[in-house]
């Protein structure tokens, strides 16, 4: 549905027993649940968000460059029963973006409940690629992959134990655009998939199979749109909140299954006593009738697969006669600008650590909502150095407000090292515009940032944004910081 057609977004609980929730878009008469939004670069959004949940909420458009007031980062949550107007213009590159709640302490529970929607932004370059691939209608798909705990055919409510708060909440089944056992019909030729990892915490090592055989594919784009040139691959890491855009030639095949391959997730942190206890949580009930934060200290092993376990995601059923071979992939697919690195400035160093009492920390500090960790100048170009401790976990670190480029990785071990096929220790996805980057245990990652904001009057004055881990249990566990652009 076109972004511009939405007049009102109702955030509601659809199942109070299991705590399932949904976004309902009101188009001024017609109402659509679980809306998928499409827009062209330059389109505007102007809608009222109505919170009908028993908890505060916000809507954050993940990946878009918005003002602090529109970013939905939880500085001003919408109280139960209250409304807020959202009004902005899309200034980002074409790509797959998404929207989800971001109220401090409730993000994991609300996203898990089903509050996550996709926003597909297109432009001329993006349309040109579809033409070059001779994509037939139905062969371009946008998919949000989440995982849930399913027992006897029914979803289990969100009730994380201390172990879940440490490692993240993992399910045992994949939900694709909200459906279990998802299957999509496609026609012979190229298929273009834009895929979001909407899991609370699970990393996906995405691959495709035809029976037992691996099906090669091409990486076209990442979080912030198309790469300069496609890269041929057989597997790609997609961590929580990351997106990939891929092309698969399905000609001559009947069925292709998408899986997350087994890998060592390098969860090196152990033994913390973390409780999912954010101060604001005490004032509001959980979404499900079942108590959130059950005192259990062990995990319900019947209904979860640990991070890194193989997981079936969805299937593509190929129909239609095998025609002529699909057209070749263009060598150049976008005019991706070079990373704007500050030549001489010293990098800004940020350390990721684990403390058995306090949990996961950025620069030894749990999140302080009223503090600004540091400020950057408007238009400044900086290099950030994110260093993860060896006793840690992979942290998908997400920056609000700006896309960035990955310059270099060092100290990478395990499965990521095996896939670091690009220059400077980088993974194939590091070549695109990113808003979320995984930092593996023991690894240091250097990012190039450009803090240029739109000239628009709305962006005048100080703008506060966030940097946080997008493992949502870590996010709610205070692995966040605020920074300001002056
Ligand atoms: Cu997808 Cu701060 O969020
Ligand atoms: Cu975000
Ligand atoms: Cu984390």
């Amino acid at each position: 549905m076109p972004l511009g057609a939405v007049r009102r977004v109702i955030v509601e609980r659809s199942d109070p027993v299991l705590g399932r929730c949904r976004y309902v878009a009101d188009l001024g008469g017609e109402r659509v649940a679980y809306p998928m939004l499409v827009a062209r670069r330059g389109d505007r959004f102007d809608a009222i968000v109505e919170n009908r949940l028993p908890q505060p909420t916000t809507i954050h458009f993940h990946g878009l460059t918005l003002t602090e007031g529109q970013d939905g980062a939880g500085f001003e949550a919408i109280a139960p029963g209250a409304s807020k107007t959202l009004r902005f213009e899309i200034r980002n590159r074409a790509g797959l973006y998404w929207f989800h709640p971001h109220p401090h302490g409730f993000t994991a529970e609300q996203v898990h409940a089903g509050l996550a929607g996709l926003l597909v932004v297109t432009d001329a370059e993006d349309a040109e690629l579809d033409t070059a691939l001779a994509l037939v209608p139905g062969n371009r798909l946008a998919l949000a992959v989440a995982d849930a705990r399913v027992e006897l055919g029914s979803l289990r409510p969100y009730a994380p134990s201390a172990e879940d708060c440490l490692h993240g909440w993992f399910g045992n089944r994949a939900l694709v655009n909200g459906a279990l056992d998802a299957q999509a019909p496609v026609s012979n030729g190229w298929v273009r998939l834009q895929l979001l990892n909407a899991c609370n915490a699970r990393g996906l090592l995405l691959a495709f199979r035809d029976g037992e055989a691996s099906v090669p594919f091409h990486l076209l784009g990442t979080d912030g749109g198309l790469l300069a040139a496609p890269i041929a691959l057989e597997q790609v890491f997609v961590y929580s909140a990351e997106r990939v855009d891929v092309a698969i030639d399905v000609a001559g095949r009947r069925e292709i299954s998408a899986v997350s391959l087994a890998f060592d997730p390098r969860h090196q942190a152990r033994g913390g006593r973390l409780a999912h206890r954010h101060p604001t949580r005490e004032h509001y009930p959980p979404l499900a009738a079942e108590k959130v934060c059950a005192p259990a200290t062990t995990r319900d092993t019947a209904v979860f697969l640990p991070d890194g376990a193989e997981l079936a995601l969805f299937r593509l059923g190929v129909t239609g006669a095998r025609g002529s071979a699909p057209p070749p992939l263009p060598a150049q697919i976008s005019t991706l600008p070079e990373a704007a690195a500050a030549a001489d400035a010293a990098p800004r160093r940020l350390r990721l650590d684990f403390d058995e009492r306090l949990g996961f920390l950025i620069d030894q500090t749990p999140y302080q909502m009223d503090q600004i960790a540091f400020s950057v100048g408007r238009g400044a170009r900086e290099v950030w150095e994110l260093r993860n401790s060896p006793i840690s976990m992979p942290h998908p670190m997400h920056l609000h407000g700006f896309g960035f480029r990955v310059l270099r990785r060092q100290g990478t071990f395990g499965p990521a090292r095996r896939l670091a096929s690009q220059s400077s220790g980088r993974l194939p996805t590091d070549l695109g515009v990113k808003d979320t980057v995984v930092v593996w245990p023991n690894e240091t990652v250097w990012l190039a940032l450009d803090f240029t904001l739109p000239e628009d009057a709305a962006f005048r004055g100080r703008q506060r944004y966030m940097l946080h881990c997008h493992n949502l249990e870590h996010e709610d566990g205070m692995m966040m910081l605020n920074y300001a652009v002056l």
Side-chain angles (χ1 to χ4, degrees):
M1 137 195 345
L3 177 81
V6 180
R7 298 275 77 92
R8 193 158 62 122
V9 179
I10 301 159
V11 193
E12 66 178 23
R13 185 162 60 168
S14 49
D15 180 339
V17 176
L18 296 176
R20 304 305 295 173
C21 300
R22 64 186 176 200
Y23 288 123
V24 178
D26 183 344
L27 311 178
E30 195 198 344
R31 288 190 182 183
V32 183
Y34 310 106
M36 185 186 292
L37 305 176
V38 294
R40 305 261 312 173
R41 194 174 184 174
D43 282 358
R44 302 192 58 88
F45 185 57
D46 188 346
I48 295 168
V49 179
E50 235 179 76
N51 179 12
R52 296 190 186 166
L53 303 180
Q55 299 176 344
T57 197
T58 71
I59 297 186
H60 168 59
F61 277 83
H62 181 123
L64 296 188
T65 301
L66 303 176
T67 63
E68 171 185 325
Q70 303 292 302
D71 188 49
F75 297 119
E76 277 175 66
I78 312 168
S83 301
K84 180 186 171 164
T85 302
L86 280 188
R87 210 174 267 144
F88 60 79
E89 180 188 333
I90 296 187
R91 300 159 186 277
N92 296 73
R93 300 176 83 221
L96 179 65
Y97 299 91
W98 63 301
F99 50 101
H100 65 79
H102 215 300
H104 301 320
F106 301 94
T107 301
E109 185 184 10
Q110 292 184 12
V111 172
H112 177 267
L115 294 175
L118 297 175
L119 166 65
V120 180
V121 177
T122 58
D123 65 6
E125 219 169 44
D126 180 80
E128 252 170 60
L129 175 59
D130 287 357
T131 308
L133 297 178
L135 274 193
V136 301
N139 276 27
R140 178 168 174 170
L141 300 164
L143 306 172
V145 177
D147 63 338
R149 296 184 183 181
V150 179
E151 202 175 25
L152 304 173
S154 139
L155 296 177
R156 300 292 303 140
Y158 184 74
S161 66
E163 275 285 286
D164 293 323
C165 291
L166 174 67
H167 293 280
W169 172 269
F170 301 106
N172 60 344
R173 298 276 297 280
L175 288 174
V176 177
N177 292 351
L180 288 167
D181 298 316
Q183 188 168 10
V186 294
S187 316
N188 258 312
W190 285 111
V191 171
R192 182 174 173 193
L193 293 179
Q194 289 178 290
L195 184 144
L196 158 73
N197 180 339
C199 298
N200 276 34
R202 180 181 298 280
L204 301 175
L205 181 52
L206 178 68
F208 299 92
R209 282 187 190 144
D210 179 350
E212 289 305 301
S214 163
V215 177
F217 59 94
H218 301 266
L219 183 70
L220 301 173
T222 58
D223 306 348
L226 294 175
L227 299 171
I231 303 175
L233 293 177
E234 296 215 7
Q235 47 189 256
V236 64
F237 272 114
V238 193
Y239 258 79
S240 299
E242 288 189 299
R243 288 88 73 202
V244 287
D245 192 337
V246 301
I248 315 166
D249 174 3
V250 302
R253 303 187 188 270
R254 295 218 96 120
E255 187 180 81
I256 289 174
S257 49
V259 291
S260 180
L261 300 174
F263 65 94
D264 172 7
R266 299 182 62 76
H267 286 221
Q268 319 276 21
R270 302 250 176 280
R273 283 204 190 176
L274 307 184
H276 186 72
R277 250 179 240 114
H278 193 283
T280 54
R281 286 202 65 92
E282 285 157 25
H283 308 295
Y284 300 95
L287 294 171
E290 186 163 319
K291 206 172 171 303
V292 177
C293 307
T297 49
T298 53
R299 287 194 280 186
D300 198 351
T301 49
V303 289
F304 91 98
L305 289 170
D307 199 12
E310 181 167 320
L311 185 70
L313 303 179
F314 58 89
R315 284 173 300 154
L316 301 174
V318 186
T319 57
R322 172 170 199 170
S324 46
L329 272 183
Q332 170 93 24
I333 53 177
S334 90
T335 48
L336 184 64
E338 281 296 304
D344 40 4
R348 190 181 289 280
R349 297 203 160 88
L350 294 153
R351 306 190 55 108
L352 313 179
D353 277 297
F354 175 63
D355 178 285
E356 290 203 1
R357 250 173 353 97
L358 297 171
F360 292 107
L361 303 170
I362 306 176
D363 282 342
Q364 299 296 334
T365 320
Y367 183 58
Q368 293 166 286
M369 176 143 165
D370 304 321
Q371 302 285 310
I372 292 173
F374 54 86
S375 299
V376 301
R378 189 172 293 253
R381 291 177 172 188
E382 296 201 352
V383 174
W384 287 15
E385 178 188 298
L386 302 186
R387 171 169 300 187
N388 197 353
S389 101
I391 308 302
S392 188
M393 281 176 46
H395 294 296
M397 299 303 295
H398 169 53
L399 187 79
H400 284 217
F402 303 88
F404 53 79
R405 306 295 296 278
V406 179
L407 296 174
R408 184 156 74 95
R409 288 180 187 264
Q410 193 180 295
T412 317
F413 294 108
R417 178 162 189 174
R418 193 166 48 78
L419 297 184
S421 56
Q422 308 297 313
S423 62
S424 307
R426 291 177 301 171
L427 297 158
T429 43
D430 291 337
L431 300 197
V433 174
K434 298 289 292 166
D435 56 52
T436 308
V437 65
V438 178
V439 189
W440 291 80
N442 194 60
E443 197 181 45
T444 306
V445 179
W446 286 268
L447 310 176
L449 294 120
D450 178 345
F451 291 98
T452 302
L453 280 172
E455 296 288 331
D456 209 89
F459 284 91
R460 278 197 204 125
R462 183 191 79 168
Q463 304 291 324
R464 281 180 303 171
Y465 296 109
M466 303 185 74
L467 169 74
H468 64 83
C469 180
H470 221 290
N471 174 319
L472 297 181
E473 280 67 39
H474 295 179
E475 174 173 344
D476 280 346
M478 314 287 227
M479 193 178 181
M480 308 196 278
L481 63 73
N482 300 328
Y483 73 98
V485 180
L486 301 179

mmCIF file of all heavy atoms in Angstrom, residues 252-283:
data_model
loop_
_atom_site.group_PDB
_atom_site.id
_atom_site.type_symbol
_atom_site.label_atom_id
_atom_site.label_comp_id
_atom_site.label_asym_id
_atom_site.label_seq_id
_atom_site.Cartn_x
_atom_site.Cartn_y
_atom_site.Cartn_z
ATOM 1 N N GLY A 252 14.299 -23.559 -14.555
ATOM 2 C CA GLY A 252 14.534 -24.991 -14.601
ATOM 3 C C GLY A 252 14.411 -25.692 -13.260
ATOM 4 O O GLY A 252 14.646 -26.886 -13.157
ATOM 5 N N ARG A 253 14.039 -24.950 -12.202
ATOM 6 C CA ARG A 253 13.876 -25.593 -10.885
ATOM 7 C C ARG A 253 12.392 -25.655 -10.533
ATOM 8 O O ARG A 253 11.593 -24.892 -11.064
ATOM 9 C CB ARG A 253 14.643 -24.814 -9.825
ATOM 10 C CG ARG A 253 16.131 -24.668 -10.135
ATOM 11 C CD ARG A 253 16.864 -24.033 -8.976
ATOM 12 N NE ARG A 253 18.241 -23.711 -9.314
ATOM 13 C CZ ARG A 253 19.266 -24.538 -9.135
ATOM 14 N NH1 ARG A 253 19.068 -25.746 -8.638
ATOM 15 N NH2 ARG A 253 20.486 -24.162 -9.462
ATOM 16 N N ARG A 254 12.053 -26.559 -9.628
ATOM 17 C CA ARG A 254 10.647 -26.717 -9.231
ATOM 18 C C ARG A 254 10.367 -26.051 -7.899
ATOM 19 O O ARG A 254 9.345 -25.394 -7.718
ATOM 20 C CB ARG A 254 10.347 -28.211 -9.056
ATOM 21 C CG ARG A 254 10.454 -29.014 -10.312
ATOM 22 C CD ARG A 254 9.370 -30.015 -10.265
ATOM 23 N NE ARG A 254 8.232 -29.526 -11.010
ATOM 24 C CZ ARG A 254 7.756 -30.181 -12.052
ATOM 25 N NH1 ARG A 254 8.312 -31.303 -12.456
ATOM 26 N NH2 ARG A 254 6.685 -29.715 -12.681
ATOM 27 N N GLU A 255 11.297 -26.315 -6.965
ATOM 28 C CA GLU A 255 11.092 -25.740 -5.642
ATOM 29 C C GLU A 255 12.438 -25.392 -5.025
ATOM 30 O O GLU A 255 13.393 -26.149 -5.149
ATOM 31 C CB GLU A 255 10.373 -26.723 -4.729
ATOM 32 C CG GLU A 255 10.001 -26.066 -3.416
ATOM 33 C CD GLU A 255 9.278 -27.008 -2.460
ATOM 34 O OE1 GLU A 255 9.953 -27.802 -1.791
ATOM 35 O OE2 GLU A 255 8.041 -26.911 -2.385
ATOM 36 N N ILE A 256 12.468 -24.232 -4.391
ATOM 37 C CA ILE A 256 13.685 -23.800 -3.715
ATOM 38 C C ILE A 256 13.319 -23.529 -2.256
ATOM 39 O O ILE A 256 12.293 -22.895 -1.984
ATOM 40 C CB ILE A 256 14.248 -22.526 -4.380
ATOM 41 C CG1 ILE A 256 14.805 -22.908 -5.757
ATOM 42 C CG2 ILE A 256 15.314 -21.873 -3.524
ATOM 43 C CD1 ILE A 256 15.255 -21.751 -6.571
ATOM 44 N N SER A 257 14.118 -24.056 -1.348
ATOM 45 C CA SER A 257 13.836 -23.756 0.050
ATOM 46 C C SER A 257 14.910 -22.816 0.579
ATOM 47 O O SER A 257 16.088 -22.945 0.245
ATOM 48 C CB SER A 257 13.751 -25.032 0.887
ATOM 49 O OG SER A 257 14.865 -25.841 0.633
ATOM 50 N N ALA A 258 14.457 -21.849 1.363
ATOM 51 C CA ALA A 258 15.378 -20.919 2.018
ATOM 52 C C ALA A 258 15.595 -21.415 3.430
ATOM 53 O O ALA A 258 14.640 -21.767 4.126
ATOM 54 C CB ALA A 258 14.794 -19.511 2.037
ATOM 55 N N VAL A 259 16.860 -21.482 3.838
ATOM 56 C CA VAL A 259 17.185 -21.967 5.180
ATOM 57 C C VAL A 259 18.179 -21.018 5.834
ATOM 58 O O VAL A 259 18.881 -20.263 5.157
ATOM 59 C CB VAL A 259 17.846 -23.369 5.146
ATOM 60 C CG1 VAL A 259 16.859 -24.434 4.722
ATOM 61 C CG2 VAL A 259 19.075 -23.388 4.247
ATOM 62 N N SER A 260 18.219 -21.101 7.165
ATOM 63 C CA SER A 260 19.348 -20.525 7.878
ATOM 64 C C SER A 260 20.238 -21.710 8.223
ATOM 65 O O SER A 260 19.814 -22.633 8.920
ATOM 66 C CB SER A 260 18.878 -19.796 9.137
ATOM 67 O OG SER A 260 20.000 -19.251 9.801
ATOM 68 N N LEU A 261 21.468 -21.694 7.697
ATOM 69 C CA LEU A 261 22.404 -22.802 7.901
ATOM 70 C C LEU A 261 22.916 -22.810 9.337
ATOM 71 O O LEU A 261 22.959 -21.769 9.994
ATOM 72 C CB LEU A 261 23.605 -22.657 6.949
ATOM 73 C CG LEU A 261 23.315 -22.641 5.454
ATOM 74 C CD1 LEU A 261 24.601 -22.334 4.686
ATOM 75 C CD2 LEU A 261 22.726 -23.974 4.999
ATOM 76 N N ALA A 262 23.336 -23.997 9.788
ATOM 77 C CA ALA A 262 23.926 -24.114 11.120
ATOM 78 C C ALA A 262 25.278 -23.392 11.142
ATOM 79 O O ALA A 262 26.033 -23.446 10.166
ATOM 80 C CB ALA A 262 24.115 -25.582 11.480
ATOM 81 N N PHE A 263 25.547 -22.674 12.218
ATOM 82 C CA PHE A 263 26.864 -22.026 12.370
ATOM 83 C C PHE A 263 27.153 -21.852 13.859
ATOM 84 O O PHE A 263 26.243 -21.961 14.692
ATOM 85 C CB PHE A 263 26.890 -20.666 11.658
ATOM 86 C CG PHE A 263 25.962 -19.624 12.226
ATOM 87 C CD1 PHE A 263 26.402 -18.701 13.169
ATOM 88 C CD2 PHE A 263 24.630 -19.561 11.825
ATOM 89 C CE1 PHE A 263 25.542 -17.742 13.703
ATOM 90 C CE2 PHE A 263 23.764 -18.604 12.348
ATOM 91 C CZ PHE A 263 24.228 -17.696 13.286
ATOM 92 N N ASP A 264 28.412 -21.613 14.177
ATOM 93 C CA ASP A 264 28.795 -21.367 15.569
ATOM 94 C C ASP A 264 28.564 -19.893 15.877
ATOM 95 O O ASP A 264 29.285 -19.033 15.377
ATOM 96 C CB ASP A 264 30.276 -21.729 15.760
ATOM 97 C CG ASP A 264 30.793 -21.310 17.136
ATOM 98 O OD1 ASP A 264 29.976 -20.862 17.973
ATOM 99 O OD2 ASP A 264 32.007 -21.421 17.362
ATOM 100 N N PRO A 265 27.559 -19.577 16.710
ATOM 101 C CA PRO A 265 27.223 -18.159 16.944
ATOM 102 C C PRO A 265 28.176 -17.468 17.930
ATOM 103 O O PRO A 265 28.014 -16.284 18.188
ATOM 104 C CB PRO A 265 25.817 -18.240 17.519
ATOM 105 C CG PRO A 265 25.787 -19.546 18.235
ATOM 106 C CD PRO A 265 26.684 -20.486 17.466
ATOM 107 N N ARG A 266 29.131 -18.212 18.478
ATOM 108 C CA ARG A 266 30.144 -17.628 19.357
ATOM 109 C C ARG A 266 29.552 -16.825 20.520
ATOM 110 O O ARG A 266 29.943 -15.691 20.767
ATOM 111 C CB ARG A 266 31.137 -16.783 18.548
ATOM 112 C CG ARG A 266 31.880 -17.633 17.500
ATOM 113 C CD ARG A 266 32.885 -16.862 16.718
ATOM 114 N NE ARG A 266 33.947 -16.316 17.532
ATOM 115 C CZ ARG A 266 34.965 -17.015 18.030
ATOM 116 N NH1 ARG A 266 35.044 -18.302 17.812
ATOM 117 N NH2 ARG A 266 35.891 -16.425 18.743
ATOM 118 N N HIS A 267 28.593 -17.466 21.180
ATOM 119 C CA HIS A 267 28.083 -16.851 22.413
ATOM 120 C C HIS A 267 29.065 -17.215 23.522
ATOM 121 O O HIS A 267 28.994 -18.279 24.100
ATOM 122 C CB HIS A 267 26.693 -17.390 22.759
ATOM 123 C CG HIS A 267 25.611 -16.853 21.878
ATOM 124 N ND1 HIS A 267 24.373 -16.473 22.343
ATOM 125 C CD2 HIS A 267 25.580 -16.617 20.547
ATOM 126 C CE1 HIS A 267 23.630 -16.039 21.335
ATOM 127 N NE2 HIS A 267 24.341 -16.120 20.235
ATOM 128 N N GLN A 268 29.995 -16.318 23.794
ATOM 129 C CA GLN A 268 31.059 -16.615 24.756
ATOM 130 C C GLN A 268 30.701 -16.124 26.156
ATOM 131 O O GLN A 268 31.391 -16.450 27.106
ATOM 132 C CB GLN A 268 32.376 -15.932 24.335
ATOM 133 C CG GLN A 268 32.673 -15.976 22.864
ATOM 134 C CD GLN A 268 33.339 -17.272 22.436
ATOM 135 O OE1 GLN A 268 33.238 -18.269 23.120
ATOM 136 N NE2 GLN A 268 34.005 -17.253 21.298
ATOM 137 N N ALA A 269 29.679 -15.301 26.267
ATOM 138 C CA ALA A 269 29.316 -14.766 27.583
ATOM 139 C C ALA A 269 28.452 -15.790 28.304
ATOM 140 O O ALA A 269 27.547 -16.357 27.729
ATOM 141 C CB ALA A 269 28.542 -13.464 27.409
ATOM 142 N N ARG A 270 28.760 -16.024 29.565
ATOM 143 C CA ARG A 270 28.012 -17.011 30.343
ATOM 144 C C ARG A 270 27.746 -16.491 31.739
ATOM 145 O O ARG A 270 28.499 -15.688 32.259
ATOM 146 C CB ARG A 270 28.825 -18.292 30.551
ATOM 147 C CG ARG A 270 29.276 -19.000 29.350
ATOM 148 C CD ARG A 270 28.546 -20.337 29.145
ATOM 149 N NE ARG A 270 28.985 -20.937 27.888
ATOM 150 C CZ ARG A 270 28.532 -20.591 26.708
ATOM 151 N NH1 ARG A 270 27.571 -19.702 26.620
ATOM 152 N NH2 ARG A 270 28.984 -21.124 25.609
ATOM 153 N N GLY A 271 26.694 -17.039 32.336
ATOM 154 C CA GLY A 271 26.546 -16.975 33.785
ATOM 155 C C GLY A 271 26.056 -15.667 34.363
ATOM 156 O O GLY A 271 26.005 -15.524 35.569
ATOM 157 N N GLY A 272 25.684 -14.717 33.559
ATOM 158 C CA GLY A 272 25.180 -13.475 34.145
ATOM 159 C C GLY A 272 23.834 -13.718 34.792
ATOM 160 O O GLY A 272 23.156 -14.691 34.531
ATOM 161 N N ARG A 273 23.469 -12.845 35.729
ATOM 162 C CA ARG A 273 22.146 -12.946 36.353
ATOM 163 C C ARG A 273 21.330 -11.784 35.883
ATOM 164 O O ARG A 273 21.077 -10.852 36.631
ATOM 165 C CB ARG A 273 22.285 -12.825 37.854
ATOM 166 C CG ARG A 273 22.792 -14.103 38.338
ATOM 167 C CD ARG A 273 22.519 -14.438 39.676
ATOM 168 N NE ARG A 273 23.390 -15.621 39.825
ATOM 169 C CZ ARG A 273 23.550 -16.254 40.889
ATOM 170 N NH1 ARG A 273 22.897 -15.879 41.887
ATOM 171 N NH2 ARG A 273 24.340 -17.272 40.937
ATOM 172 N N LEU A 274 20.936 -11.817 34.639
ATOM 173 C CA LEU A 274 20.258 -10.641 34.123
ATOM 174 C C LEU A 274 18.772 -10.805 34.298
ATOM 175 O O LEU A 274 18.224 -11.846 34.025
ATOM 176 C CB LEU A 274 20.574 -10.490 32.637
ATOM 177 C CG LEU A 274 22.060 -10.489 32.322
ATOM 178 C CD1 LEU A 274 22.264 -10.243 30.858
ATOM 179 C CD2 LEU A 274 22.739 -9.415 33.124
ATOM 180 N N ALA A 275 18.148 -9.765 34.742
ATOM 181 C CA ALA A 275 16.701 -9.801 34.835
ATOM 182 C C ALA A 275 16.166 -8.788 33.842
ATOM 183 O O ALA A 275 16.777 -7.752 33.615
ATOM 184 C CB ALA A 275 16.265 -9.448 36.232
ATOM 185 N N HIS A 276 15.048 -9.136 33.261
ATOM 186 C CA HIS A 276 14.447 -8.265 32.274
ATOM 187 C C HIS A 276 13.624 -7.248 33.044
ATOM 188 O O HIS A 276 12.407 -7.332 33.103
ATOM 189 C CB HIS A 276 13.581 -9.134 31.364
ATOM 190 C CG HIS A 276 13.015 -8.410 30.211
ATOM 191 N ND1 HIS A 276 13.779 -8.013 29.146
ATOM 192 C CD2 HIS A 276 11.770 -8.006 29.939
ATOM 193 C CE1 HIS A 276 13.007 -7.411 28.270
ATOM 194 N NE2 HIS A 276 11.787 -7.389 28.728
ATOM 195 N N ARG A 277 14.314 -6.316 33.690
ATOM 196 C CA ARG A 277 13.572 -5.414 34.564
ATOM 197 C C ARG A 277 13.917 -3.986 34.271
ATOM 198 O O ARG A 277 14.816 -3.404 34.841
ATOM 199 C CB ARG A 277 13.860 -5.759 36.025
ATOM 200 C CG ARG A 277 12.639 -6.361 36.679
ATOM 201 C CD ARG A 277 12.870 -6.745 38.115
ATOM 202 N NE ARG A 277 12.659 -8.172 38.299
ATOM 203 C CZ ARG A 277 13.611 -9.024 38.617
ATOM 204 N NH1 ARG A 277 14.835 -8.603 38.830
ATOM 205 N NH2 ARG A 277 13.319 -10.286 38.752
ATOM 206 N N HIS A 278 13.207 -3.416 33.358
ATOM 207 C CA HIS A 278 13.399 -2.017 33.019
ATOM 208 C C HIS A 278 12.480 -1.247 33.962
ATOM 209 O O HIS A 278 11.346 -1.657 34.177
ATOM 210 C CB HIS A 278 12.992 -1.812 31.561
ATOM 211 C CG HIS A 278 13.424 -0.512 31.010
ATOM 212 N ND1 HIS A 278 12.770 0.652 31.302
ATOM 213 C CD2 HIS A 278 14.440 -0.188 30.193
ATOM 214 C CE1 HIS A 278 13.382 1.653 30.659
ATOM 215 N NE2 HIS A 278 14.392 1.156 29.997
ATOM 216 N N PRO A 279 12.953 -0.126 34.548
ATOM 217 C CA PRO A 279 12.120 0.568 35.541
ATOM 218 C C PRO A 279 10.698 0.871 35.053
ATOM 219 O O PRO A 279 9.749 0.685 35.824
ATOM 220 C CB PRO A 279 12.900 1.848 35.824
ATOM 221 C CG PRO A 279 14.154 1.791 35.028
ATOM 222 C CD PRO A 279 14.277 0.459 34.390
ATOM 223 N N THR A 280 10.539 1.310 33.799
ATOM 224 C CA THR A 280 9.188 1.685 33.358
ATOM 225 C C THR A 280 8.266 0.483 33.221
ATOM 226 O O THR A 280 7.054 0.635 33.147
ATOM 227 C CB THR A 280 9.217 2.422 32.005
ATOM 228 O OG1 THR A 280 9.918 1.619 31.080
ATOM 229 C CG2 THR A 280 9.854 3.780 32.111
ATOM 230 N N ARG A 281 8.829 -0.709 33.181
ATOM 231 C CA ARG A 281 7.990 -1.895 32.997
ATOM 232 C C ARG A 281 7.025 -2.090 34.162
ATOM 233 O O ARG A 281 5.960 -2.677 34.008
ATOM 234 C CB ARG A 281 8.836 -3.150 32.830
ATOM 235 C CG ARG A 281 9.518 -3.253 31.488
ATOM 236 C CD ARG A 281 9.863 -4.697 31.215
ATOM 237 N NE ARG A 281 8.662 -5.490 31.084
ATOM 238 C CZ ARG A 281 8.051 -5.736 29.944
ATOM 239 N NH1 ARG A 281 8.530 -5.295 28.819
ATOM 240 N NH2 ARG A 281 6.952 -6.449 29.924
ATOM 241 N N GLU A 282 7.442 -1.631 35.354
ATOM 242 C CA GLU A 282 6.627 -1.888 36.540
ATOM 243 C C GLU A 282 5.257 -1.224 36.485
ATOM 244 O O GLU A 282 4.334 -1.638 37.163
ATOM 245 C CB GLU A 282 7.383 -1.423 37.793
ATOM 246 C CG GLU A 282 8.498 -2.387 38.137
ATOM 247 C CD GLU A 282 9.591 -1.756 38.967
ATOM 248 O OE1 GLU A 282 9.307 -0.765 39.674
ATOM 249 O OE2 GLU A 282 10.736 -2.263 38.887
ATOM 250 N N HIS A 283 5.117 -0.210 35.671
ATOM 251 C CA HIS A 283 3.849 0.529 35.654
ATOM 252 C C HIS A 283 2.824 -0.021 34.676
ATOM 253 O O HIS A 283 1.699 0.470 34.645
ATOM 254 C CB HIS A 283 4.102 2.001 35.340
ATOM 255 C CG HIS A 283 5.134 2.615 36.218
ATOM 256 N ND1 HIS A 283 4.940 2.761 37.566
ATOM 257 C CD2 HIS A 283 6.386 3.088 35.959
ATOM 258 C CE1 HIS A 283 6.021 3.316 38.099
ATOM 259 N NE2 HIS A 283 6.908 3.508 37.147
#
